[in-house]
Amino acid sequence: MSAVKSALKAAKGALDAHQYESAIENANNALKEDPKNYHANVFLGLAFEKQNRPDDSEKSYRAATLLKGNDPLAWQGLFSLYEQQGARKLDEYHDAASQLAAIFVAIDDKTRCQTVVDKYTDFARKCGSRAQYRHSLEILLPGSELYDYLEGRILHPSYTYTKIAELLEQDEKEKINYEIGQRRTRLGAKIDQVTADVKKEVLQASDLETVYQCIVDWTEDDATRRLYEEKLLQHAYDTLVVLPSTMKDKKRDQVLRLAQGLVILKHPFALAWRLTLEWKDVDRIEELDPGLLREYIEFFREDGLAKVLQGYLDSEISPFHPDTAEDDEYDDARQKKPLPMSAEDRLILMTDGIEDSATSILALRIMGEYYLYLEEYESAVGTGRKAQRELAAISRASGLPLTNLFDAVSILLGTAMVHYQAPRHHPEATSLFEGVLTRRESNSAALIGIGLILEERGELEEAIGFLERALQHTPSLKVKAEAAWCKALNGDYRSGMAELEECLEQLGTGDSGTKTLKAQVLYRIGICLWNLDTSKLSRKDRNKAYARFISSLQADMNYAPAYTSLGIYYTDYARDRARARKCFQKAFELSSTEVVAAERLAQLFARSSEWDLVEVVAQRVVESGRLRPPPGSKKKGISWPFAALGVVQLNRQDYAKSVVSFQSALRTSPKDYYSWVGLGESYHNSGRYIAATRAFEQAQRLETELGPEVLGDTWFSKYMLANVERELGQFGAAIAGYKGVLALRAREYGVSIASLQTLIEAAWHDIELGFFGRAINSVQEALKTAEDIVMWRNDAFNLWKSIGDICSVYTCIQSYIAEFPLAALRGLLEHDADPEAYALLTELDQLDWATFESAIASDSSDAVLAQCIYAAILAQKKAISCCVNDVRARAVAWYNLGWTEYRGHVCLSADEKRGEPLRYLKSAVQCFKRAIELESGNSEFWNSLGIVTSPLNPQVAQHAFVRSLFINDKNARTWTNLGVFYLVEGDRQLASDAFTRAQSIDPEHSQAWLGQGLLAAQLGEPSEARNLFAHAFEIASASATQIRRSYACSILEHLLSSPDTSSSTTNLLQSVVALQQLSKQSGTELPYEHINVLLQERMGNHAVASEKLFAICSTLEAEYETSESAETLARFASAKADLSRSLLAEGKFDSAVENAETALDLSADDDALGMRQRTRLSAHISAGLSHHHLGSFDRSTEAFKGALEESQEDPDIICLLSQVLWAKGGENAREVASQQLFNCVERHPEHVPTILLLGSVSVLQDDQDTVDAVADDLRALRTRDDLPPQQEKQLVQLLSAIAVLYPGRTGQATARTSEATTAVMLRPPYSYGWSQLSGITNESHPAEMAILTAVREAPPRGALTAEDLSEVYAGTHRGEDAQRSIMFAPWKSSGWQALSQLL
């Protein structure tokens, strides 16, 4: 023991001397001697603490506390050690402080105990978290040992609880925000649901309500107590809202108890008062405590609900009266009560209040009832819907069923829907009332509501039943009057009137509501009187119905139906339209549901063309919602307001809206004839012609169904249907429609002009399609129509414009110019003639009536065309004089005259222009300038000016085109014209750009493709130009003459430049048709007639070619006799040569020789056109072949020799000469023929016809050496890719013949098969090899392959002829193929032979 004491003493001394290592050593020595020595552990812990070794120090202190737990020394060491470590050991610090404080309590040392507690709580506040600080404060709460011991020396419990509450509030708020932030980012999370889930989790686990209750219990300050009572209620309410419905009951009881406590204490906490007032499930507002309502107003004067309550309690509908209060405490308030508010101020106050309390079910309910009282049904419906939503939210939040409140809101909303936009909302209102009646069968309001709905539907028996049931439970004069009115409407006017008179006797002169009811009863009595005796005398009696209507207005000057009935009385019986209009206006001003008044008013406005007022009336009726009956109603819908809107919108040219309006009218009244007509007209004006056709057809079906006695005059629908058919291009049907209308209404100007214009449009359409005869028939009929119109109206612009168009049609189809009805046109122009009108622009075009008369007397060849042009110009001048007062029409008239003048410039010859070649062109320029002066924003006018000024002034023309494009840059025609302008001026790049732009705007604009073709031709790309011309021709109309010229020329140039190319029959046929149409349109243009002949010759139409060539030769001969021009002579010689060739093809050899010799004689001299060699060569060949066929071999030989000289020994001519010499016979001639061929082969070793002919001659002469040489050359030639199919076929046939005649060692069959298989191998896509192989082997596969390849070679993909295709089908030895062979070429014997072999 002495060693332990010594060690302890040494350790104590070392500690005092701050020698901590020595102290540790001595303390450890003491512990070695006595491991359970308390002071040694304390000294060791203190030494470790001083050396900043907290873990060792804590271990030593803990060991000491285990030895003596009630000794404060070791706990003080731990207390100090933990304090030094800050927040890291705060939880251990709490345990040490608690234990140390308990030791001081045990030893009754209050001072040191309080010091420990104060020091620990202050340290926890500074260094710990909110939870640790809250934990430190808990040791000071009532119920703990320290509180009982230190009471009076530590903080009051209310303060401690307050601090804990503040800490808990902060923790809850942070936790809620953190969890919401974390969970809202999850996939599919919704913020409302996330917030509710988080609040439910946090609030359910919260201790705040307990702390709040403790504060309320312990605090001595009333203000603090009320504050935390508010917080307790708010927290409990928030928790109630998020709890599931199964857990709400207990919490709801708590909330109501807390709220009612605050209300009893009259504490002004709004939530408590709101819950108390609004969670009461009362059927009627009068069941609420009026004192409570007035207290709420007193406490919360600026609250929205308070304003609503204040206005309600002061209103006429309030069931509460101030003098009914029994408590004396309200006496002073009554004495201070302000004067009653006016109705306007009350409504303003309540409206402001409802805006501030939009979630208050009580405020919404009160406002809904007040709106019903004011008959503001729209506002009542909106308020009722809000009340439904808020009530559902309250029911969900509280878990209360609130059945009475739901029923009350349903009745409020249903009652408003009965009257608002009736009957639109009646189905919904019926559903609401029926829902109430399922729970409360005797609810009077629901019974009345359903009764009124049934009355509106026309189900009067059922309505009477419901209203009488309501009367049994709630006697009411209003309901009784309504039931009586239902009886009257049901046809029992006497009974209904008697009951209404009973109601009238019981009515007094009370408030405004009573006055309105009295006015209604008087009006309905008047209606009963009106219908009891419908005679005119009775209705005119001012002592009957009229008197009741006047009395009704005396009772209530704002009762609208009485004004309507008075308006009908004044209109139909008193004949006072002024008073009637005022009555209808007043009725409609008072109520938009007065549909009859509105209809009569709209009719009055329409008669005076006040369309704006018609629209206002109709739109207001539409917005009233009374047009369409509810489902199941017996009443018919009202369609006239939609129809009236449609008419107004038609007049405003707002066709999209008018379509919608007429469609709405027809949904209500599907058999409304005039709505169908209006809908059709709207569709027509908006360009929807198919829909317009259907609408007018439906209108015409209704005409048949309803009859003229119902509809009256129905010609307009027929006229509009004809207009639609005209727009659709169905001109025949349109003209027939116009004729049908004119049969009903003769001399109807609009219809007559439409018929005239349609005939002319049909003519232009036929010209575009190439039906020129039909076009002439149309304008002839149009002329008759114009003659009829001019007899009774000759001052119409459209009439004279159409007459000018009739003349223009003849100028576009000049083949019919001889049929021009000059006498009829002269008669039209002479009718009521105005010399001044015809003298317009005479200084430029030198054309007036005298000029026209002189032209009529002329007998020149172009006289008829000139007369036609003059008549067209004079008609357009007359049109200008007919539209002096119409600027738009005058601009169009100048534009039309300009084009007519330009047509004269294009069509008339120089002789007809009388030495002034540009006079019509200059006149056209002046016309277009005047049109632009009148309407400068028209792009077409500028485009036209650019066209006519191009040959006169390129700068002006370019400006005009650019200006036109500035106004409308989407016009493909203008871009094309600009491209042509640049092309003429030599700027090819700009021309290409303009044509490309036109093609991009309108790919179907053929003129743009023509321009690109002309540009390609200038650039030396004939193939590209030909393709472009072909495309332009395919998409162009028949009126595009220049496209036809260019296309035909390109085809001919292609044939001449590629003589070995087999042109497609389709292309040739299209070219011929194009030139024939051109001939009919532009008269006889000899160059293009000649081209037509050449193409006809290519197609084998030799008779047609000969006929046309005879005509051409006659024309050229006459022209030469007049002009003696070398050019004409050369063309005449060329035509004679072509005629000789055509006659040769016909077999007219004598005539062919004659014409050939004439061509040779005429072309003996030099030719300025460079046609001499070609003409003479053609003539020599024609003569040679003709002489050959006539048997004159010597003359034939001489002719071919001349051809050789002209052609400089062309190999083809040598072949012809050799054939003639061979046919002549004789060794000498045949030797010469063979020699010619040998010489030709030497000079032209690649000329296939020469080699083929030489091979044939060699076979005939049995010259095997020559045959072998030729066969070798032919085998070499057959491998060439550029060999034409026809020559390839001839080559194969010759090689096959050689193989048969000179088979060699292999034999004939093998040699023939070898040649055929070689042909197939070298040319598998061609049919001749397969056909030959099929004929040799008699197998089916080669025959089928021959057909397959032949079909692919046939036009338009190839150039296989019908004869070749027929032979291929005949070679299969099948019946169906033999029939096809005959079908393709019935003149060929092969098909018939194949068929005969099979039969």
Side-chain angles (χ1 to χ4, degrees):
M1 285 295 289
S2 60
V4 173
K5 290 182 178 180
S6 298
L8 290 173
K9 187 175 180 180
K12 179 70 170 63
L15 286 172
D16 293 338
H18 305 293
Q19 296 176 357
Y20 303 117
E21 286 294 335
S22 176
I24 291 171
E25 182 180 356
N26 290 315
N28 284 328
N29 291 333
L31 289 173
K32 288 178 182 178
E33 297 294 331
D34 185 6
K36 295 184 178 181
N37 190 287
Y38 172 77
H39 289 93
N41 281 299
V42 171
F43 291 156
L44 185 60
L46 180 59
F48 282 139
E49 180 184 352
K50 296 299 184 179
Q51 282 194 331
N52 199 20
R53 294 166 64 181
D55 294 337
D56 294 336
S57 176
E58 180 182 9
K59 184 177 180 181
S60 298
Y61 282 139
R62 287 291 181 187
T65 58
L66 293 174
L67 295 173
K68 289 185 178 181
N70 294 326
D71 190 276
L73 186 61
W75 289 108
Q76 285 177 332
L78 281 174
F79 186 83
S80 176
L81 177 66
Y82 290 145
E83 185 177 6
Q84 293 175 11
Q85 296 184 52
R88 192 167 69 88
K89 292 288 186 178
L90 191 57
D91 293 335
E92 290 83 354
Y93 190 17
H94 173 80
D95 296 338
S98 300
Q99 190 64 35
L100 184 60
I103 292 172
F104 289 141
V105 169
I107 62 177
D108 194 21
D109 191 343
K110 291 186 177 181
T111 302
R112 294 174 69 185
C113 181
Q114 182 181 356
T115 301
V116 169
V117 170
D118 292 343
K119 199 171 185 180
Y120 164 60
T121 55
D122 187 58
F123 182 81
R125 179 180 60 81
K126 293 178 179 179
C127 299
S129 64
R130 282 195 292 270
Q132 290 172 330
Y133 181 44
R134 188 175 69 247
H135 190 43
S136 70
L137 293 175
E138 288 175 354
I139 64 177
L140 303 178
L141 295 177
S144 67
E145 183 181 358
L146 290 178
Y147 174 78
D148 295 335
Y149 182 68
L150 296 176
E151 184 176 8
R153 301 175 67 94
I154 58 176
L155 294 175
H156 190 272
S158 63
Y159 176 79
T160 305
Y161 279 121
T162 301
K163 294 299 291 182
I164 292 174
E166 291 173 356
L167 295 173
L168 285 172
E169 287 171 356
Q170 295 177 22
D171 284 344
E172 278 192 10
K173 183 177 181 181
E174 287 184 2
K175 186 174 183 180
I176 289 171
N177 292 337
Y178 174 78
E179 289 296 330
I180 291 173
Q182 290 292 314
R183 299 185 190 184
R184 68 182 299 178
T185 59
R186 296 175 182 174
L187 188 64
K190 296 180 180 179
I191 184 63
D192 295 339
Q193 187 61 42
V194 167
T195 302
D197 292 342
V198 170
K199 285 186 175 181
K200 182 176 70 173
E201 294 174 7
V202 174
L203 296 180
Q204 274 188 290
S206 175
D207 295 329
L208 260 179
E209 293 184 25
T210 303
V211 175
Y212 287 153
Q213 188 61 53
C214 290
I215 295 173
V216 170
D217 294 341
W218 281 95
T219 186
E220 296 175 355
D221 182 28
D222 288 342
T224 302
R225 181 178 293 106
R226 298 294 173 263
L227 173 63
Y228 280 93
E229 284 178 345
E230 292 177 6
K231 289 189 175 185
L232 176 59
L233 174 58
Q234 186 67 56
H235 194 279
Y237 175 75
D238 293 341
T239 305
L240 174 65
V241 169
V242 297
L243 284 176
S245 57
T246 56
M247 302 172 63
K248 287 182 181 287
D249 294 344
K250 183 177 179 181
K251 180 59 70 174
R252 182 178 62 250
D253 294 341
Q254 178 193 357
V255 169
L256 288 173
R257 186 180 66 255
L258 293 171
Q260 290 169 357
L262 288 173
V263 170
I264 291 171
L265 294 173
K266 294 182 174 52
H267 178 64
F269 182 49
L271 177 62
W273 289 82
R274 286 278 186 91
L275 295 178
T276 303
L277 290 173
E278 298 192 357
W279 283 16
K280 287 188 176 181
D281 189 20
V282 295
D283 185 29
R284 296 183 302 277
I285 296 177
E286 52 263 34
E287 296 178 20
L288 293 174
D289 183 1
L292 203 62
L293 299 179
R294 292 189 177 93
E295 288 175 353
Y296 186 89
I297 296 170
E298 187 67 27
F299 288 133
F300 308 101
R301 288 194 175 275
E302 298 303 318
D303 183 72
L305 176 58
K307 294 178 181 178
V308 173
L309 288 172
Q310 183 179 353
Y312 176 70
L313 294 176
D314 189 58
S315 69
E316 303 88 336
I317 64 171
S318 173
F320 309 117
H321 300 284
D323 56 355
T324 59
E326 298 177 358
D327 297 334
D328 295 335
E329 58 184 298
Y330 299 115
D331 289 344
D332 294 338
R334 285 198 296 271
Q335 292 174 2
K336 297 178 183 179
K337 181 179 178 180
L339 295 174
M341 292 180 287
S342 65
E344 292 80 6
D345 293 340
R346 184 185 310 115
L347 183 59
I348 292 172
L349 177 67
M350 296 177 74
T351 304
D352 291 342
I354 197 63
E355 289 177 359
D356 297 337
S357 58
T359 59
S360 170
I361 185 61
L362 180 58
L364 291 169
R365 184 178 177 186
I366 289 172
M367 283 303 300
E369 293 192 3
Y370 194 63
Y371 283 139
L372 283 179
Y373 169 73
L374 298 177
E375 296 184 359
E376 292 290 337
Y377 299 116
E378 181 178 2
S379 300
V381 169
T383 304
R385 292 194 187 281
K386 289 180 183 177
Q388 275 189 324
R389 292 193 294 270
E390 295 303 326
L391 188 56
I394 291 174
S395 180
R396 286 194 302 272
S398 65
L400 291 169
L402 302 176
T403 305
N404 291 332
L405 277 176
F406 272 112
D407 288 346
V409 170
S410 296
I411 290 171
L412 186 154
L413 180 58
T415 304
M417 286 180 172
V418 169
H419 302 282
Y420 175 58
Q421 292 185 344
R424 177 184 295 180
H425 303 289
H426 283 183
E428 186 178 356
T430 302
S431 176
L432 292 172
F433 290 137
E434 288 176 348
V436 173
L437 291 175
T438 55
R439 294 181 292 273
R440 302 165 63 187
E441 296 181 357
S442 60
N443 188 281
S444 300
L447 291 170
I448 294 170
I450 292 181
L452 294 175
I453 291 172
L454 291 172
E455 177 187 342
E456 181 67 28
R457 288 183 183 176
E459 300 175 17
L460 300 171
E461 293 290 347
E462 293 84 349
I464 293 170
F466 274 93
L467 292 173
E468 288 180 347
R469 283 174 58 190
L471 280 173
Q472 294 174 2
H473 302 287
T474 307
S476 168
L477 281 177
K478 187 173 183 179
V479 178
K480 184 178 180 180
E482 202 66 44
W485 178 238
C486 287
K487 292 179 182 178
L489 293 177
N490 201 29
D492 188 1
Y493 291 108
R494 293 193 182 280
S495 176
M497 186 174 70
E499 293 184 15
L500 287 170
E501 287 175 345
E502 291 179 8
C503 295
L504 183 62
E505 292 174 359
Q506 299 176 28
L507 285 171
T509 57
D511 57 9
S512 59
T514 304
K515 291 179 180 179
T516 301
L517 181 58
K518 184 176 181 180
Q520 185 185 68
V521 171
L522 285 166
Y523 162 75
R524 289 176 173 179
I525 292 172
I527 292 295
C528 291
L529 289 171
W530 184 272
N531 290 297
L532 278 171
D533 188 353
T534 59
S535 64
K536 187 174 182 180
L537 184 63
S538 175
R539 289 187 171 182
K540 288 183 69 174
D541 190 350
R542 290 179 176 263
N543 295 320
K544 291 187 176 181
Y546 174 82
R548 299 302 190 279
F549 297 148
I550 293 296
S551 299
S552 174
L553 291 177
Q554 289 172 349
D556 185 358
M557 292 296 294
N558 293 324
Y559 189 65
Y563 285 106
T564 300
S565 297
L566 281 175
I568 295 172
Y569 172 83
Y570 286 128
T571 301
D572 297 342
Y573 298 98
R575 302 298 179 186
D576 190 343
R577 294 188 178 275
R579 286 187 176 182
R581 180 167 178 167
K582 291 179 181 179
C583 288
F584 290 138
Q585 284 181 329
K586 184 65 175 178
F588 193 60
E589 287 173 5
L590 291 171
S591 174
S592 62
T593 61
E594 289 300 307
V595 179
V596 175
E599 183 176 8
R600 296 286 188 117
L601 197 58
Q603 290 172 352
L604 292 172
F605 290 146
R607 290 192 188 100
S608 57
S609 298
E610 299 176 76
W611 298 111
D612 291 341
L613 296 177
V614 173
E615 182 184 22
V616 170
V617 171
Q619 189 62 46
R620 190 178 176 202
V621 176
V622 169
E623 292 171 356
S624 70
R626 298 186 64 87
L627 301 184
R628 291 181 183 144
S633 174
K634 296 180 180 179
K635 284 191 173 182
K636 292 184 179 180
I638 301 171
S639 62
W640 71 262
F642 292 113
L645 285 175
V647 172
V648 172
Q649 290 151 358
L650 263 180
N651 287 330
R652 291 179 178 173
Q653 298 181 359
D654 194 349
Y655 304 121
K657 290 183 178 179
S658 68
V659 166
V660 174
S661 297
F662 284 123
Q663 285 177 338
S664 300
L666 289 169
R667 289 191 192 99
T668 305
S669 301
K671 292 190 177 183
D672 185 354
Y673 169 79
Y674 294 102
S675 292
W676 281 110
V677 174
L679 179 62
E681 187 175 358
S682 300
Y683 279 137
H684 167 266
N685 293 335
S686 58
R688 299 167 65 180
Y689 300 119
I690 301 299
T693 302
R694 293 173 181 167
F696 287 125
E697 287 175 350
Q698 176 62 26
Q700 292 189 347
R701 283 193 288 271
L702 289 175
E703 290 176 15
T704 306
E705 187 177 327
L706 300 177
E709 61 278 0
V710 176
L711 299 176
D713 204 351
T714 59
W715 66 271
F716 185 73
S717 65
K718 297 180 177 63
Y719 167 68
M720 286 304 301
L721 181 58
N723 285 341
V724 173
E725 289 167 337
R726 171 185 173 185
E727 296 291 348
L728 291 173
Q730 300 171 2
F731 299 110
I735 293 167
Y738 291 133
K739 289 181 178 178
V741 176
L742 289 172
L744 299 173
R745 295 178 66 89
R747 294 193 173 185
E748 180 70 36
Y749 171 71
V751 182
S752 299
I753 284 293
S755 177
L756 174 61
Q757 292 175 329
T758 305
L759 285 165
I760 295 171
E761 289 175 10
W764 288 120
H765 182 67
D766 289 335
I767 289 175
E768 291 182 354
L769 297 178
F771 301 131
F772 303 122
R774 221 160 63 182
I776 293 298
N777 293 337
S778 294
V779 294
Q780 288 174 350
E781 187 177 351
L783 186 59
K784 294 177 183 177
T785 305
E787 288 176 330
D788 176 65
I789 296 174
V790 81
M791 298 305 296
W792 48 275
R793 182 168 181 179
N794 67 340
D795 60 346
F797 159 71
N798 287 329
L799 170 64
W800 292 103
K801 186 260 183 189
S802 300
I803 293 173
D805 288 343
I806 291 172
C807 300
S808 298
V809 168
Y810 278 97
T811 67
C812 292
I813 315 175
Q814 295 181 17
S815 60
Y816 290 89
I817 197 69
E819 301 178 15
F820 178 66
L822 178 60
L825 263 299
R826 182 179 182 180
L828 286 172
L829 293 170
E830 281 182 335
H831 185 81
D832 197 15
D834 182 4
E836 292 184 3
Y838 295 144
L840 200 65
L841 291 182
T842 306
E843 68 279 3
L844 290 176
D845 62 9
Q846 301 176 16
L847 177 61
D848 54 11
W849 183 255
T851 309
F852 180 58
E853 290 287 349
S854 63
I856 293 175
S858 174
D859 58 352
S860 66
S861 57
D862 292 338
V864 179
L865 180 59
Q867 293 161 6
C868 185
I869 292 290
Y870 292 168
I873 293 174
L874 292 178
Q876 298 294 357
K877 288 183 178 181
K878 179 72 172 178
I880 293 175
S881 67
C882 294
C883 55
V884 177
N885 299 323
D886 189 340
V887 176
R888 167 67 179 161
R890 194 146 40 96
V892 175
W894 280 108
Y895 172 77
N896 294 334
L897 178 59
W899 276 118
T900 309
E901 297 273 8
Y902 185 72
R903 186 69 182 164
H905 170 75
V906 171
C907 294
L908 295 181
S909 64
D911 293 339
E912 293 296 333
K913 295 175 185 176
R914 296 192 295 278
E916 290 289 339
L918 299 179
R919 62 192 180 102
Y920 294 111
L921 188 63
K922 291 179 180 178
S923 298
V925 171
Q926 188 63 30
C927 292
F928 290 133
K929 284 183 177 179
R930 294 196 181 181
I932 290 170
E933 289 173 1
L934 294 170
E935 189 178 346
S936 60
N938 192 312
S939 63
E940 290 296 335
F941 295 175
W942 287 100
N943 177 43
S944 304
L945 180 63
I947 293 172
V948 298
T949 55
S950 293
L952 298 175
N953 192 328
Q955 290 83 2
V956 172
Q958 184 181 22
H959 170 74
F961 287 134
V962 172
R963 182 65 181 174
S964 176
L965 292 172
F966 175 77
I967 297 171
N968 179 15
D969 63 348
K970 301 298 182 183
N971 192 326
R973 293 191 303 276
T974 307
W975 281 107
T976 302
N977 294 334
L978 182 61
V980 173
F981 170 80
Y982 286 136
L983 191 63
V984 172
E985 295 299 319
D987 195 331
R988 295 174 179 173
Q989 182 58 49
L990 288 178
S992 176
D993 294 342
F995 290 139
T996 303
R997 182 67 180 272
Q999 290 166 338
S1000 65
I1001 292 172
D1002 184 6
E1004 298 298 318
H1005 186 54
S1006 59
Q1007 301 294 336
W1009 295 96
L1010 172 64
Q1012 289 283 26
L1014 294 173
L1015 181 61
Q1018 281 194 6
L1019 294 173
E1021 299 175 359
S1023 177
E1024 178 68 16
R1026 185 175 66 257
N1027 292 333
L1028 289 168
F1029 291 144
H1031 182 68
F1033 177 76
E1034 289 172 359
I1035 64 177
S1037 64
S1039 60
T1041 56
Q1042 186 56 46
I1043 291 177
R1044 277 150 174 69
R1045 295 186 183 100
S1046 301
Y1047 176 64
C1049 291
S1050 68
I1051 293 296
L1052 183 61
E1053 289 174 2
H1054 177 59
L1055 294 175
L1056 295 177
S1057 62
S1058 304
D1060 293 334
T1061 302
S1062 298
S1063 178
S1064 169
T1065 304
T1066 303
N1067 291 336
L1068 290 175
L1069 183 61
Q1070 287 178 340
S1071 302
V1072 169
V1073 171
L1075 290 171
Q1076 288 176 345
Q1077 291 177 342
L1078 179 64
S1079 175
K1080 290 184 177 182
Q1081 290 177 273
S1082 302
T1084 302
E1085 296 183 359
L1086 289 181
Y1088 295 103
E1089 283 292 311
H1090 206 155
I1091 292 173
N1092 188 10
V1093 167
L1094 297 176
L1095 295 176
Q1096 293 277 9
E1097 185 182 5
R1098 287 271 181 167
M1099 293 176 61
N1101 297 332
H1102 303 295
V1104 175
S1106 298
E1107 181 183 354
K1108 289 182 176 295
L1109 282 168
F1110 273 119
I1112 292 172
C1113 289
S1114 299
T1115 304
L1116 290 172
E1117 186 176 5
E1119 184 179 339
Y1120 179 71
E1121 290 175 355
T1122 303
S1123 64
E1124 295 185 357
S1125 167
E1127 177 183 349
T1128 305
L1129 181 62
R1131 290 163 59 192
F1132 180 52
S1134 176
K1136 280 291 186 180
D1138 293 339
L1139 177 58
S1140 173
R1141 187 172 62 250
S1142 184
L1143 291 170
L1144 170 65
E1146 283 191 87
K1148 299 177 180 180
F1149 305 121
D1150 291 329
S1151 299
V1153 169
E1154 181 184 349
N1155 283 280
E1157 291 175 351
T1158 302
L1160 290 171
D1161 293 339
L1162 293 173
S1163 60
D1165 297 330
D1166 290 339
D1167 180 15
L1169 295 180
M1171 298 167 56
R1172 178 179 180 277
Q1173 182 181 1
R1174 185 178 300 173
T1175 300
R1176 293 182 64 81
L1177 178 60
S1178 175
H1180 278 301
I1181 294 173
S1182 299
L1185 290 174
S1186 298
H1187 284 305
H1188 171 72
H1189 286 289
L1190 290 171
S1192 303
F1193 295 108
D1194 293 336
R1195 297 186 68 180
S1196 175
T1197 303
E1198 290 299 324
F1200 281 118
K1201 287 181 180 179
L1204 279 175
E1205 291 176 4
E1206 294 290 344
S1207 66
Q1208 299 177 358
E1209 297 187 355
D1210 185 271
D1212 291 323
I1213 304 301
I1214 292 174
C1215 289
L1216 287 173
L1217 177 59
S1218 299
Q1219 289 175 358
V1220 171
L1221 289 172
W1222 186 268
K1224 182 179 180 181
E1227 292 294 331
N1228 220 0
R1230 292 182 177 181
E1231 185 64 30
V1232 172
S1234 298
Q1235 189 60 42
Q1236 288 286 344
L1237 291 173
F1238 275 116
N1239 294 336
C1240 185
V1241 168
E1242 289 179 3
R1243 289 193 300 270
H1244 306 285
E1246 300 294 324
H1247 191 250
V1248 177
T1250 305
I1251 299 174
L1252 289 171
L1253 187 56
L1254 180 59
S1256 301
V1257 170
S1258 300
V1259 169
L1260 292 173
Q1261 291 179 334
D1262 196 18
D1263 186 354
Q1264 187 169 357
D1265 293 336
T1266 303
V1267 168
D1268 292 341
V1270 169
D1272 292 339
D1273 289 342
L1274 292 176
R1275 291 188 181 96
L1277 286 172
R1278 74 192 303 181
T1279 60
R1280 284 169 49 181
D1281 293 333
D1282 59 342
L1283 203 63
Q1286 192 64 26
Q1287 292 183 359
E1288 175 77 17
K1289 181 179 179 181
Q1290 295 172 354
L1291 188 149
V1292 171
Q1293 290 173 345
L1294 181 56
L1295 285 175
S1296 179
I1298 292 173
V1300 172
L1301 296 173
Y1302 305 97
R1305 298 177 181 177
T1306 58
Q1308 286 186 350
T1310 305
R1312 289 181 64 195
T1313 305
S1314 175
E1315 289 297 335
T1317 54
T1318 302
V1320 170
M1321 179 187 70
L1322 292 175
R1323 298 287 190 274
Y1326 293 102
S1327 60
Y1328 51 79
W1330 292 104
S1331 296
Q1332 193 175 45
L1333 185 60
S1334 172
I1336 295 170
T1337 61
N1338 290 324
E1339 294 180 359
S1340 60
H1341 177 68
E1344 292 174 357
M1345 289 301 299
I1347 291 177
L1348 181 61
T1349 53
V1351 170
R1352 292 177 179 175
E1353 289 181 79
R1357 289 176 289 184
L1360 193 70
T1361 63
E1363 290 89 345
D1364 293 334
L1365 189 60
S1366 176
E1367 288 182 2
V1368 171
Y1369 274 103
T1372 62
H1373 305 294
R1374 292 186 300 200
E1376 60 270 23
D1377 289 336
Q1379 292 175 346
R1380 292 190 180 97
S1381 174
I1382 295 171
M1383 180 192 70
F1384 284 119
W1387 59 89
K1388 291 282 290 184
S1389 61
S1390 56
W1392 296 102
Q1393 290 173 357
L1395 183 60
S1396 65
Q1397 292 173 3
L1398 294 170
L1399 294 177

